[in-house]
RNA sequence: GGGCGCUUAGCUCAGUUGGUUAGAGCGCGUGCUUCACACGCACGAGGUCACUGGUUCGAGUCCAGUAGCGCCCACCA
């Protein structure tokens, strides 16, 4: 950057600083990562890639600012900051958007059509396209979003190296994702299993434990009678010698019932263990089993086990070795079933089939009232359903309750590594530290391996094919893997080695795995993707393991946990040393701000209204991990601070001469105070407590403006001669230099602007202030001592007292005070000689009269109200020779 | 049911190892065109530090418990 001329605008303003500096920063490359520096000099950041479909909101602005504060601090400390930006364009939100935008549906069985062009307007009936074509459309749409995002981030002043962007759906990311998967497969750390899986019936895909969400839903307890299957009598609580009653919220699953279960110690049901009961309507004989998870307090104390109603059913089914009788289909409806010899066992298969046919094809919600009336009619419903509110599991993006279906899915071995992951969680430095507990809780509470397959389209495909046998059946036991150098592959289009494309789907041919990976299976590899694990080994060695993972607390269980897992499995290390957890932005009702609530303000509008520095100020006040209220008032305060920086700087720099050394005790005192601010701000930043660093700096700065600048004004204009003016000027420039640098991470635009008035280069690569540099400004720093601070403190007390009395007397400042009598102790009065001239000038006091005595008292004697308005005053602008 | 966090002025929040009279900003009130700044300056009013008990010479700060709010987790028939 060329050396700018020392020129201070007459009316400095914030307007236009963003559009002035963003291009200059880009052109000069101040934020470019220096890939030649050794690992010890690098600070690398695993930026959270925002989801590109949709828009950024104030929550993003908030947390991304936090990361930028740390990045800027580290850069000024001399680190080569590796600060890339990723785009998470891989996943369901994008997929949905593309479907609607272009009017297409993905059909992974179709081959790639290179000549496909989407219609200008979406047509009524969606066009089916191949997966590669679909992904092309996703990419095309997300590129637009990414441009808008980048523009906003730049406007906010993120010091990202824009040459280092990545997209989670890019070929490079797919390659990393598939390679990491293959590595795990080779080591047996992923496996495929036909097993009960959490399933969203609208998206028709499996979902992971981490994506679950509880929602309160209305429901009803149905009390239902199960007849005993033989003549055993007198041992059941119903008292009629023939039946047992269960309670269920899901009567539509009765056809899927495979057993009843009660607690082993429950006296009421103990005699039934080993017996069989007959399901109502369908007449299936099912056993009564004991299991410790059955709660005698719940319902009637005996429950029906269905395949599958909830997660407990899965546990019971697995641990009791029960058969599967699945009724719910992937689309959430009850599927066809045959009762009797050829199908499911029933004591009266004609009756069973009759009832079941009425349910076939209905969704679970629609089937429920039908079966209830069937039960009522058959006399198996005891009493009427009792409405309740209960908690039901949902996919966090879904609209209907999750079902549990048996399907073939890929899993990553997680349970085997739980203890080691807990260890890693303790090695990681958490900011704030209590966030580690969330990780511990989650890891401790894991109850299954990680299901990473999704039956969706826009994502990273599993790099696997399967051979077909002579009958065209899939042989899952002998998967066909690509070689590393083939990656990335799309098995729906690419052909495995040893086969011809025409053999796809043919007997003795092959098929591709139709699934894609869970979006977290790829985004858990952002450190590997960003650092160039496969593409740039040199950069990888200089940036990985990374220094910082910034993220929000709601995705500790997903993104953070999964990243730790993947890094542990692939590299045997933590992916980063620090995790900085941001809070949420809350609206004034203390609820998380969300789009659905309609309370989200466009970030760009905020940046334009309050200035980027003003918005950053608000964000910076949100301490790590703390939820923060959305508060435009704070942005206004930030804007005012930025304006103050402009004006105070203009004052400090407007009179450059005479130059000299810091000799005045008051000047030394200010530098000494600033020195301790530097120490505190640095310590706070080192501990990732940017909010504290800002607060210390800001408090000092306002006092500096209100007291010191006022106190020193007359002297620096020459009222007390050259030496005093020189001392003031030296102090002003020294403290301004330090203050600007302390503010630079928070207010990058205004500090850069002021810096450009008088310093070469960008402030953002200037060295972070050190305490020593302030001491060396004085003639001899050993005189920056206790006595100096007390002189300054005393001066501010006198300032305050006299201002107060002037305010109470409602006297304008232009009216001189004829005299002030100060009664105080000897020690305080001894300080007067070094501050009296400054005070006389700042307060417009003609003379001080000093009296030794107690108690301390400062008293204004009178005002020279007769002086003509606007008249001259003594000592005005006569620089000493 | 388990865990974590929070509760300080009307609002948003500081308050670091316990130590005089508890701080800031916003808002409010009063006054002031002051040669860096009216996008400003000065001054003022405003608090039983959620509650109860304990430790201590001394508690906003430490301990125990209670309540409310928020979040995370849980095998919620």
């Amino acid at each position: 950057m060329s050396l700018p001329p020392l020129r201070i605008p007459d009316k400095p303003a914030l307007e236009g600083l963003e559009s002035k500096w963003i291009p200059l920063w880009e052109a000069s490359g101040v934020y470019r990562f220096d890939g030649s520096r050794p690992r010890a000099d690098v600070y690398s950041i695993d930026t959270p890639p925002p989801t590109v479909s949709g828009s950024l909101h104030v929550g993003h602005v908030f947390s991304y600012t936090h990361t930028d504060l740390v990045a800027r601090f580290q850069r000024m400390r001399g680190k080569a900051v590796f600060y890339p930006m990723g785009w998470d364009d891989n996943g369901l939100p994008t997929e949905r958007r593309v479907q609607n935008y272009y009017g297409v549906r993905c059909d992974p069985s179709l081959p790639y059509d290179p000549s496909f062009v989407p219609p200008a307007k979406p047509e009524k009936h969606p066009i089916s396209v191949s997966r590669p074509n679909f992904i092309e459309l996703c990419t095309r749409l997300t590129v637009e979003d990414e441009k808008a995002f980048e523009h906003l981030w730049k406007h906010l002043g993120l010091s990202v190296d824009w040459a280092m962007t990545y997209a989670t759906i890019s070929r490079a990311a797919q390659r990393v994702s598939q390679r990491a998967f293959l590595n795990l497969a080779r080591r047996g750390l992923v496996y495929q299993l036909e097993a009960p899986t959490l399933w969203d019936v609208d998206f028709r895909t499996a979902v992971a434990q981490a994506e679950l969400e509880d929602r309160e839903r209305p429901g009803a307890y149905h009390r239902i009678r199960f007849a005993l299957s033989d003549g055993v009598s007198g041992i059941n609580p119903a008292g009629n010698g023939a039946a047992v009653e269960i309670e269920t919220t899901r009567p539509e699953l009765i056809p899927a019932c495979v057993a009843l279960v009660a607690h082993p110690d429950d006296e009421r049901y103990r005699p039934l263990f080993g017996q069989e009961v007959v399901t109502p309507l369908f007449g299936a004989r099912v056993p009564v089993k004991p299991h410790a998870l059955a709660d005698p307090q719940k319902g009637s104390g005996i429950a029906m086990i269905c395949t599958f109603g909830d997660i407990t059913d899965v546990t019971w089914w697995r641990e009791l070795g029960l058969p599967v009788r699945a009724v719910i289909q992937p689309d959430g409806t009850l599927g066809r079933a045959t009762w009797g010899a050829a199908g499911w066992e029933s004591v009266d298969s004609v009756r069973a089939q009759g009832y079941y046919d009425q349910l076939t094809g209905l969704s679970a919600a629609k089937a429920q009232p039908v079966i209830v009336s069937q039960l009522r009619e058959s006399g198996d419903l005891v009493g009427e359903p009792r409405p309740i509110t209960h908690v039901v599991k949902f996919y966090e993006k879904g609209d209907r309750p999750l079902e549990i279906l048996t399907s073939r899915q890929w899993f990553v071995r997680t349970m085997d590594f739980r203890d080691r992951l807990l260890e890693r969680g303790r090695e990681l430095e958490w900011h704030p530290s209590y966030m580690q507990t969330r990780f511990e809780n989650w890891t401790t509470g894991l109850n299954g391996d990680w299901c990473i397959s999704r039956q969706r389209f826009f994502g990273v495909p599993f790099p696997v094919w399967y051979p077909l046998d002579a009958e065209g059946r899939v042989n899952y036991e002998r998967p066909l893997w690509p070689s590393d150098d083939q990656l990335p592959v799309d098995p729906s289009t690419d052909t495995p080695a040893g086969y011809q494309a025409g053999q796809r789907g043919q007997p003795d041919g092959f098929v591709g795995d139709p699934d894609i990976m869970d979006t977290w299976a790829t985004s858990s590899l952002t450190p590997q993707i960003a650092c160039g694990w496969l593409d740039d080994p040199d950069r990888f060695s200089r940036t990985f393991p990374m220094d910082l993972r910034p993220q929000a607390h709601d995705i500790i269980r997903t993104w953070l946990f999964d990243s730790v897992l993947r890094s542990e499995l692939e590299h045997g290390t933590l992916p980063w040393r620090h995790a900085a957890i941001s809070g949420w932005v809350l609206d004034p009702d203390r609820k998380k701000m969300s789009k659905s609530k309609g309370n989200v303000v466009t970030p760009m509008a905020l940046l334009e209204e309050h200035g980027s520095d003003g918005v950053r100020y608000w964000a910076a006040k949100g301490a790590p991990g703390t939820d923060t209220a959305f508060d435009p008032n704070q942005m206004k305060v930030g804007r005012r601070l930025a304006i103050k920086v402009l004006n105070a700087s203009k004052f400090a720099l407007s009179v450059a001469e005479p130059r000299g050394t810091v000799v005045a005790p008051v000047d030394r005192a200010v530098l000494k105070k600033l020195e301790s601010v530097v120490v505190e701000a640095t310590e706070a930043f080192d501990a990732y407590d940017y909010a504290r660093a800002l607060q210390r700096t800001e408090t000092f700065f306002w006092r500096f403006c209100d007291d010191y600048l006022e106190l020193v004004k007359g002297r620096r204009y020459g009222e007390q001669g050259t030496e005093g003016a020189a001392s003031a000027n030296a102090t002003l420039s020294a403290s301004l230099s330090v203050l600007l640098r302390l503010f630079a991470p928070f207010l990058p635009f205004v500090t850069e602007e002021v810096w450009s008035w008088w310093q070469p280069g960008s402030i953002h690569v200037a060295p972070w202030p050190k305490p020593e540099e302030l001491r060396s400004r004085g003639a001899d720093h050993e005189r920056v001592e206790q006595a100096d601070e007390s002189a300054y403190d005393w001066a501010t007390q006198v300032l305050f007292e006299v201002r107060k009395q002037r305010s109470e007397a409602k006297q304008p400042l232009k009216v001189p005070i004829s005299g002030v009598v100060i009664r105080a102790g000897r020690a305080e009065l001894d300080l007067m000689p070094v501050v009296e001239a400054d005070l006389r000038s700042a307060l417009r006091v003609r003379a001080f009269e000093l009296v030794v005595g107690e108690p301390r008292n400062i008293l204004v004697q009178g005002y020279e109200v007769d002086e003509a308005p606007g008249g001259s005053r003594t000592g005005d602008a006569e620089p000493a020779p």
Side-chain angles (χ1 to χ4, degrees), chain A residues 128-165:
Chain A
S128 291
V129 298
S130 75
R131 183 158 68 192
N133 285 112
F134 192 79
I135 289 179
E136 274 181 8
L137 295 178
C138 291
T139 308
R140 186 198 290 198
L141 196 57
T142 53
V143 161
E144 293 303 308
D145 291 336
E146 287 161 15
K147 271 188 211 149
F149 280 28
E150 183 171 332
H151 181 246
L152 179 72
W153 285 151
K154 284 181 176 167
H155 202 88
L156 178 62
L158 296 191
S159 59
V160 160
D161 180 350
W162 290 103
M164 300 272 173
T165 56

Short mmCIF file of all heavy atoms in Angstrom, two decimals, chain A residues 128-165:
data_model
loop_
_atom_site.label_atom_id
_atom_site.label_comp_id
_atom_site.label_asym_id
_atom_site.label_seq_id
_atom_site.Cartn_x
_atom_site.Cartn_y
_atom_site.Cartn_z
N SER A 128 -38.08 -34.86 -14.43
CA SER A 128 -37.12 -35.73 -13.77
C SER A 128 -35.75 -35.55 -14.40
O SER A 128 -35.62 -35.57 -15.64
CB SER A 128 -37.55 -37.19 -13.89
OG SER A 128 -38.69 -37.40 -13.10
N VAL A 129 -34.74 -35.36 -13.57
CA VAL A 129 -33.39 -35.20 -14.08
C VAL A 129 -32.46 -36.12 -13.30
O VAL A 129 -32.76 -36.55 -12.19
CB VAL A 129 -32.88 -33.74 -13.95
CG1 VAL A 129 -33.76 -32.80 -14.77
CG2 VAL A 129 -32.85 -33.29 -12.50
N SER A 130 -31.30 -36.39 -13.90
CA SER A 130 -30.32 -37.27 -13.26
C SER A 130 -29.68 -36.56 -12.07
O SER A 130 -29.78 -35.33 -11.94
CB SER A 130 -29.23 -37.66 -14.25
OG SER A 130 -28.37 -36.54 -14.43
N ARG A 131 -29.02 -37.31 -11.23
CA ARG A 131 -28.37 -36.69 -10.09
C ARG A 131 -27.29 -35.69 -10.50
O ARG A 131 -27.26 -34.58 -9.97
CB ARG A 131 -27.81 -37.75 -9.14
CG ARG A 131 -27.20 -37.13 -7.90
CD ARG A 131 -27.14 -38.12 -6.76
NE ARG A 131 -26.18 -39.17 -7.04
CZ ARG A 131 -26.10 -40.28 -6.32
NH1 ARG A 131 -26.90 -40.49 -5.31
NH2 ARG A 131 -25.21 -41.19 -6.61
N PRO A 132 -26.42 -36.04 -11.46
CA PRO A 132 -25.42 -35.02 -11.86
C PRO A 132 -26.07 -33.76 -12.42
O PRO A 132 -25.61 -32.66 -12.14
CB PRO A 132 -24.59 -35.74 -12.93
CG PRO A 132 -24.77 -37.19 -12.64
CD PRO A 132 -26.16 -37.35 -12.09
N ASN A 133 -27.15 -33.91 -13.18
CA ASN A 133 -27.84 -32.73 -13.69
C ASN A 133 -28.43 -31.91 -12.54
O ASN A 133 -28.36 -30.68 -12.52
CB ASN A 133 -28.97 -33.13 -14.64
CG ASN A 133 -28.44 -33.58 -16.00
OD1 ASN A 133 -28.52 -34.74 -16.35
ND2 ASN A 133 -27.86 -32.64 -16.74
N PHE A 134 -28.99 -32.64 -11.60
CA PHE A 134 -29.59 -31.96 -10.44
C PHE A 134 -28.53 -31.17 -9.68
O PHE A 134 -28.73 -30.02 -9.29
CB PHE A 134 -30.26 -33.00 -9.53
CG PHE A 134 -31.13 -32.40 -8.48
CD1 PHE A 134 -32.42 -31.96 -8.79
CD2 PHE A 134 -30.70 -32.27 -7.17
CE1 PHE A 134 -33.24 -31.42 -7.81
CE2 PHE A 134 -31.50 -31.71 -6.20
CZ PHE A 134 -32.78 -31.29 -6.52
N ILE A 135 -27.39 -31.80 -9.51
CA ILE A 135 -26.31 -31.13 -8.77
C ILE A 135 -25.82 -29.90 -9.53
O ILE A 135 -25.52 -28.87 -8.94
CB ILE A 135 -25.17 -32.12 -8.48
CG1 ILE A 135 -25.66 -33.12 -7.42
CG2 ILE A 135 -23.91 -31.42 -8.02
CD1 ILE A 135 -24.66 -34.17 -7.04
N GLU A 136 -25.81 -30.00 -10.86
CA GLU A 136 -25.43 -28.82 -11.66
C GLU A 136 -26.37 -27.65 -11.38
O GLU A 136 -25.93 -26.51 -11.25
CB GLU A 136 -25.48 -29.15 -13.15
CG GLU A 136 -24.21 -29.77 -13.68
CD GLU A 136 -24.30 -30.05 -15.18
OE1 GLU A 136 -25.29 -29.62 -15.83
OE2 GLU A 136 -23.38 -30.70 -15.67
N LEU A 137 -27.66 -27.97 -11.31
CA LEU A 137 -28.62 -26.90 -11.03
C LEU A 137 -28.42 -26.33 -9.63
O LEU A 137 -28.51 -25.12 -9.43
CB LEU A 137 -30.05 -27.44 -11.17
CG LEU A 137 -30.45 -27.89 -12.59
CD1 LEU A 137 -31.86 -28.44 -12.58
CD2 LEU A 137 -30.32 -26.74 -13.58
N CYS A 138 -28.15 -27.20 -8.68
CA CYS A 138 -27.88 -26.73 -7.31
C CYS A 138 -26.69 -25.79 -7.32
O CYS A 138 -26.70 -24.73 -6.68
CB CYS A 138 -27.59 -27.91 -6.39
SG CYS A 138 -29.03 -28.96 -6.06
N THR A 139 -25.66 -26.19 -8.02
CA THR A 139 -24.45 -25.38 -8.07
C THR A 139 -24.74 -24.03 -8.71
O THR A 139 -24.33 -22.99 -8.21
CB THR A 139 -23.36 -26.11 -8.88
OG1 THR A 139 -23.21 -27.42 -8.34
CG2 THR A 139 -22.04 -25.38 -8.79
N ARG A 140 -25.51 -24.06 -9.80
CA ARG A 140 -25.81 -22.83 -10.50
C ARG A 140 -26.55 -21.84 -9.58
O ARG A 140 -26.23 -20.66 -9.53
CB ARG A 140 -26.68 -23.14 -11.72
CG ARG A 140 -26.90 -21.92 -12.59
CD ARG A 140 -28.07 -22.10 -13.51
NE ARG A 140 -27.80 -23.07 -14.57
CZ ARG A 140 -28.55 -23.15 -15.70
NH1 ARG A 140 -29.55 -22.32 -15.87
NH2 ARG A 140 -28.27 -24.05 -16.59
N LEU A 141 -27.50 -22.37 -8.85
CA LEU A 141 -28.29 -21.50 -7.99
C LEU A 141 -27.47 -21.00 -6.79
O LEU A 141 -27.57 -19.84 -6.39
CB LEU A 141 -29.53 -22.25 -7.49
CG LEU A 141 -30.64 -21.40 -6.92
CD1 LEU A 141 -31.11 -20.37 -7.93
CD2 LEU A 141 -31.81 -22.29 -6.51
N THR A 142 -26.64 -21.87 -6.24
CA THR A 142 -25.91 -21.47 -5.05
C THR A 142 -24.81 -20.46 -5.36
O THR A 142 -24.45 -19.67 -4.51
CB THR A 142 -25.31 -22.69 -4.34
OG1 THR A 142 -24.56 -23.45 -5.28
CG2 THR A 142 -26.39 -23.55 -3.73
N VAL A 143 -24.31 -20.50 -6.58
CA VAL A 143 -23.29 -19.52 -6.96
C VAL A 143 -23.82 -18.10 -6.77
O VAL A 143 -23.12 -17.21 -6.28
CB VAL A 143 -22.81 -19.75 -8.41
CG1 VAL A 143 -22.11 -18.52 -8.95
CG2 VAL A 143 -21.87 -20.95 -8.45
N GLU A 144 -25.07 -17.91 -7.14
CA GLU A 144 -25.69 -16.59 -6.97
C GLU A 144 -25.75 -16.21 -5.49
O GLU A 144 -25.41 -15.09 -5.10
CB GLU A 144 -27.11 -16.60 -7.54
CG GLU A 144 -27.17 -16.77 -9.04
CD GLU A 144 -26.38 -15.68 -9.75
OE1 GLU A 144 -26.60 -14.50 -9.46
OE2 GLU A 144 -25.50 -16.03 -10.59
N ASP A 145 -26.21 -17.16 -4.69
CA ASP A 145 -26.29 -16.90 -3.24
C ASP A 145 -24.92 -16.56 -2.67
O ASP A 145 -24.78 -15.67 -1.85
CB ASP A 145 -26.83 -18.14 -2.53
CG ASP A 145 -28.29 -18.39 -2.85
OD1 ASP A 145 -28.98 -17.41 -3.22
OD2 ASP A 145 -28.74 -19.54 -2.74
N GLU A 146 -23.94 -17.31 -3.13
CA GLU A 146 -22.61 -17.13 -2.56
C GLU A 146 -22.07 -15.73 -2.86
O GLU A 146 -21.40 -15.13 -2.02
CB GLU A 146 -21.67 -18.23 -3.09
CG GLU A 146 -21.99 -19.56 -2.44
CD GLU A 146 -21.45 -20.77 -3.18
OE1 GLU A 146 -20.57 -20.60 -4.05
OE2 GLU A 146 -21.92 -21.87 -2.88
N LYS A 147 -22.40 -15.23 -4.03
CA LYS A 147 -21.96 -13.88 -4.36
C LYS A 147 -22.58 -12.86 -3.40
O LYS A 147 -21.90 -11.96 -2.91
CB LYS A 147 -22.40 -13.53 -5.79
CG LYS A 147 -21.38 -13.92 -6.83
CD LYS A 147 -21.81 -13.35 -8.20
CE LYS A 147 -21.35 -14.26 -9.32
NZ LYS A 147 -22.24 -14.24 -10.48
N ALA A 148 -23.87 -13.04 -3.15
CA ALA A 148 -24.54 -12.12 -2.24
C ALA A 148 -23.97 -12.22 -0.83
O ALA A 148 -23.77 -11.21 -0.15
CB ALA A 148 -26.04 -12.41 -2.21
N PHE A 149 -23.68 -13.43 -0.41
CA PHE A 149 -23.11 -13.63 0.92
C PHE A 149 -21.74 -12.96 1.02
O PHE A 149 -21.43 -12.29 2.00
CB PHE A 149 -22.97 -15.13 1.21
CG PHE A 149 -24.24 -15.79 1.64
CD1 PHE A 149 -25.48 -15.31 1.24
CD2 PHE A 149 -24.21 -16.91 2.47
CE1 PHE A 149 -26.64 -15.93 1.64
CE2 PHE A 149 -25.37 -17.52 2.88
CZ PHE A 149 -26.59 -17.04 2.46
N GLU A 150 -20.94 -13.18 -0.01
CA GLU A 150 -19.58 -12.62 0.01
C GLU A 150 -19.65 -11.10 0.09
O GLU A 150 -18.88 -10.48 0.83
CB GLU A 150 -18.82 -13.08 -1.23
CG GLU A 150 -17.37 -12.60 -1.25
CD GLU A 150 -16.56 -13.22 -2.37
OE1 GLU A 150 -16.89 -14.36 -2.80
OE2 GLU A 150 -15.60 -12.58 -2.82
N HIS A 151 -20.57 -10.54 -0.63
CA HIS A 151 -20.72 -9.09 -0.61
C HIS A 151 -21.04 -8.61 0.80
O HIS A 151 -20.47 -7.65 1.31
CB HIS A 151 -21.82 -8.66 -1.58
CG HIS A 151 -22.03 -7.19 -1.63
ND1 HIS A 151 -23.19 -6.59 -1.20
CD2 HIS A 151 -21.20 -6.19 -2.01
CE1 HIS A 151 -23.07 -5.28 -1.33
NE2 HIS A 151 -21.88 -5.01 -1.83
N LEU A 152 -21.96 -9.30 1.45
CA LEU A 152 -22.34 -8.91 2.81
C LEU A 152 -21.16 -9.07 3.77
O LEU A 152 -20.88 -8.19 4.59
CB LEU A 152 -23.52 -9.76 3.29
CG LEU A 152 -23.97 -9.43 4.71
CD1 LEU A 152 -24.69 -8.09 4.74
CD2 LEU A 152 -24.87 -10.51 5.27
N TRP A 153 -20.47 -10.18 3.66
CA TRP A 153 -19.33 -10.41 4.57
C TRP A 153 -18.26 -9.35 4.39
O TRP A 153 -17.66 -8.89 5.36
CB TRP A 153 -18.72 -11.79 4.32
CG TRP A 153 -19.48 -12.97 4.82
CD1 TRP A 153 -19.48 -14.22 4.27
CD2 TRP A 153 -20.31 -13.06 5.99
NE1 TRP A 153 -20.27 -15.06 5.01
CE2 TRP A 153 -20.78 -14.39 6.06
CE3 TRP A 153 -20.71 -12.17 6.98
CZ2 TRP A 153 -21.62 -14.84 7.08
CZ3 TRP A 153 -21.56 -12.61 7.98
CH2 TRP A 153 -22.00 -13.92 8.03
N LYS A 154 -18.02 -8.99 3.14
CA LYS A 154 -17.01 -7.95 2.91
C LYS A 154 -17.47 -6.63 3.50
O LYS A 154 -16.69 -5.90 4.09
CB LYS A 154 -16.75 -7.81 1.41
CG LYS A 154 -15.90 -8.93 0.86
CD LYS A 154 -15.65 -8.74 -0.62
CE LYS A 154 -14.71 -9.83 -1.13
NZ LYS A 154 -14.69 -9.86 -2.61
N HIS A 155 -18.74 -6.35 3.32
CA HIS A 155 -19.27 -5.09 3.83
C HIS A 155 -19.18 -5.05 5.35
O HIS A 155 -18.94 -4.01 5.95
CB HIS A 155 -20.72 -4.92 3.38
CG HIS A 155 -21.18 -3.50 3.40
ND1 HIS A 155 -21.02 -2.65 2.34
CD2 HIS A 155 -21.78 -2.77 4.37
CE1 HIS A 155 -21.50 -1.46 2.66
NE2 HIS A 155 -21.96 -1.51 3.88
N LEU A 156 -19.36 -6.19 5.97
CA LEU A 156 -19.25 -6.26 7.42
C LEU A 156 -17.80 -6.10 7.86
O LEU A 156 -17.53 -5.76 9.01
CB LEU A 156 -19.80 -7.61 7.91
CG LEU A 156 -19.73 -7.93 9.39
CD1 LEU A 156 -20.55 -6.92 10.21
CD2 LEU A 156 -20.23 -9.34 9.67
N GLY A 157 -16.88 -6.34 6.94
CA GLY A 157 -15.47 -6.17 7.26
C GLY A 157 -14.79 -7.43 7.72
O GLY A 157 -13.78 -7.37 8.41
N LEU A 158 -15.33 -8.58 7.34
CA LEU A 158 -14.63 -9.82 7.71
C LEU A 158 -13.30 -9.87 6.98
O LEU A 158 -13.24 -9.64 5.78
CB LEU A 158 -15.47 -11.04 7.32
CG LEU A 158 -16.82 -11.22 8.02
CD1 LEU A 158 -17.38 -12.61 7.72
CD2 LEU A 158 -16.69 -11.03 9.52
N SER A 159 -12.25 -10.19 7.73
CA SER A 159 -10.91 -10.19 7.14
C SER A 159 -10.57 -11.57 6.59
O SER A 159 -9.46 -12.07 6.78
CB SER A 159 -9.89 -9.73 8.18
OG SER A 159 -9.90 -10.57 9.32
N VAL A 160 -11.55 -12.12 5.90
CA VAL A 160 -11.38 -13.42 5.27
C VAL A 160 -10.43 -13.30 4.08
O VAL A 160 -10.39 -12.27 3.42
CB VAL A 160 -12.77 -13.93 4.81
CG1 VAL A 160 -12.67 -14.99 3.74
CG2 VAL A 160 -13.58 -14.39 6.01
N ASP A 161 -9.68 -14.36 3.85
CA ASP A 161 -8.88 -14.42 2.62
C ASP A 161 -9.79 -14.99 1.54
O ASP A 161 -10.05 -16.20 1.49
CB ASP A 161 -7.68 -15.34 2.84
CG ASP A 161 -6.82 -15.43 1.59
OD1 ASP A 161 -7.25 -14.95 0.52
OD2 ASP A 161 -5.71 -15.98 1.68
N TRP A 162 -10.26 -14.11 0.68
CA TRP A 162 -11.27 -14.53 -0.30
C TRP A 162 -10.71 -15.39 -1.42
O TRP A 162 -11.46 -15.89 -2.25
CB TRP A 162 -12.03 -13.32 -0.84
CG TRP A 162 -12.90 -12.73 0.23
CD1 TRP A 162 -12.67 -11.61 0.96
CD2 TRP A 162 -14.12 -13.29 0.73
NE1 TRP A 162 -13.67 -11.43 1.89
CE2 TRP A 162 -14.58 -12.45 1.76
CE3 TRP A 162 -14.87 -14.42 0.42
CZ2 TRP A 162 -15.75 -12.70 2.49
CZ3 TRP A 162 -16.04 -14.67 1.14
CH2 TRP A 162 -16.46 -13.82 2.15
N ALA A 163 -9.41 -15.56 -1.42
CA ALA A 163 -8.85 -16.52 -2.37
C ALA A 163 -9.03 -17.94 -1.84
O ALA A 163 -8.77 -18.91 -2.54
CB ALA A 163 -7.38 -16.23 -2.59
N MET A 164 -9.43 -18.06 -0.58
CA MET A 164 -9.52 -19.37 0.05
C MET A 164 -10.97 -19.70 0.37
O MET A 164 -11.37 -19.77 1.52
CB MET A 164 -8.76 -19.36 1.38
CG MET A 164 -7.30 -19.06 1.26
SD MET A 164 -6.39 -20.57 0.98
CE MET A 164 -4.77 -19.91 0.67
N THR A 165 -11.79 -19.87 -0.64
CA THR A 165 -13.16 -20.26 -0.37
C THR A 165 -13.35 -21.70 -0.82
O THR A 165 -12.64 -22.20 -1.68
CB THR A 165 -14.17 -19.37 -1.10
OG1 THR A 165 -13.87 -19.40 -2.48
CG2 THR A 165 -14.10 -17.94 -0.60
#
